Amino acid sequence: MTVQFKDFAGADDGRVSLTGKVISLKDGLSDEKRQFLNATYKARHTGASWIDFDDFQFFKFQSYEQIRLVGGFAWACYVDPKEFIRCTSDPHSSYAQHVMNHMNDEHCESTQQIIKHICGIDIDEVRMVSLDRLGFDVQGIIQAGNGGYVKARVPFTKEVGSRKGLKEEIMAMSREAAKFVESQKYCGK
């Protein structure tokens, strides 16, 4: 099974491929569990009328044999299945999209300044495309060399586990980057 990054467009976008033993849940589900799965599926896939057909089935992984993470172009690794089972979701996953939308809509210049400060590149049309406890990814158009589309990872100064901490970290990075960019003006850069 392959799970793709939300706005997957091609080889430059993230995905994970899971290989293992999959079993059908067709038999052995209580009515209560089946109703729960149906409701969850319909909430996620509105208009999914096929779920009511007799041949529709749910499956689950019984075991994982191999997990391959591709984070984008030229960035890939294997993940130990035991590690994968133990992992938990990122503490910001429930509101990360809201934070990214806010940064993209209201603070694009701050994001550009952070990229200039941390990565040393000028970037146009910058957008935050993912965010987690360790940092965020942006995409945009670079103004160096031949120019072109680029993605970059911006690490936080420390692991950030709370919403308040996330806001504080981004604001501190923004202030530091603004000072850096302002100092560059006086240096003629």
Side-chain angles (χ1 to χ4, degrees):
M1 176 176 76
T2 299
V3 180
Q4 300 172 331
F5 180 73
K6 181 182 174 199
D7 296 318
F8 186 86
D12 197 32
D13 292 317
R15 60 214 174 267
V16 63
S17 295
L18 306 155
T19 308
K21 184 172 181 181
V22 178
I23 59 170
S24 170
L25 297 179
K26 186 173 184 173
D27 300 322
L29 278 182
S30 68
D31 286 341
E32 182 180 327
K33 182 70 172 179
R34 185 176 308 285
Q35 288 172 359
F36 170 77
L37 290 173
N38 284 358
T40 303
Y41 188 88
K42 285 180 178 179
R44 177 90 175 182
H45 306 281
T46 54
S49 59
W50 56 85
I51 194 171
D52 297 320
F53 297 156
D54 288 339
D55 62 347
F56 184 86
Q57 295 183 54
F58 287 104
F59 293 85
K60 78 171 190 174
F61 274 96
Q62 188 173 46
S63 64
Y64 297 100
E65 305 300 322
Q66 187 178 64
I67 300 168
R68 176 127 172 103
L69 172 65
V70 179
F73 183 75
W75 190 99
C77 66
Y78 287 98
V79 177
D80 182 294
K82 291 175 186 154
E83 236 180 273
F84 177 76
I85 290 168
R86 285 192 308 269
C87 71
T88 59
S89 65
D90 190 82
H92 308 299
S93 61
S94 66
Y95 51 82
Q97 190 62 55
H98 173 75
V99 173
M100 291 185 297
N101 290 345
H102 174 72
M103 290 300 294
N104 292 336
D105 295 341
E106 305 296 330
H107 303 290
C108 187
E109 184 178 354
S110 291
T111 305
Q112 285 176 305
Q113 290 176 342
I114 291 169
I115 300 301
K116 177 70 173 172
H117 178 60
I118 303 287
C119 303
I121 59 174
D122 292 310
I123 190 167
D124 287 325
E125 299 178 32
V126 67
R127 297 198 56 78
M128 263 191 204
V129 295
S130 68
L131 179 143
D132 58 59
R133 71 188 190 287
L134 302 176
F136 58 89
D137 295 320
V138 297
Q139 66 182 25
I141 306 293
I142 60 168
Q143 303 168 8
N146 294 331
Y149 171 81
V150 67
K151 282 189 177 179
R153 176 73 177 172
V154 179
F156 291 141
T157 59
K158 60 187 175 294
E159 186 171 334
V160 180
S162 71
R163 191 170 191 157
K164 181 181 181 215
L166 179 64
K167 181 177 181 178
E168 290 170 353
E169 180 71 7
I170 292 174
M171 288 177 68
M173 291 174 81
S174 295
R175 285 191 298 273
E176 187 71 26
K179 286 181 194 172
F180 172 78
V181 170
E182 187 63 27
S183 74
Q184 295 296 297
K185 290 178 185 176
Y186 295 113
C187 296
K189 295 180 183 177

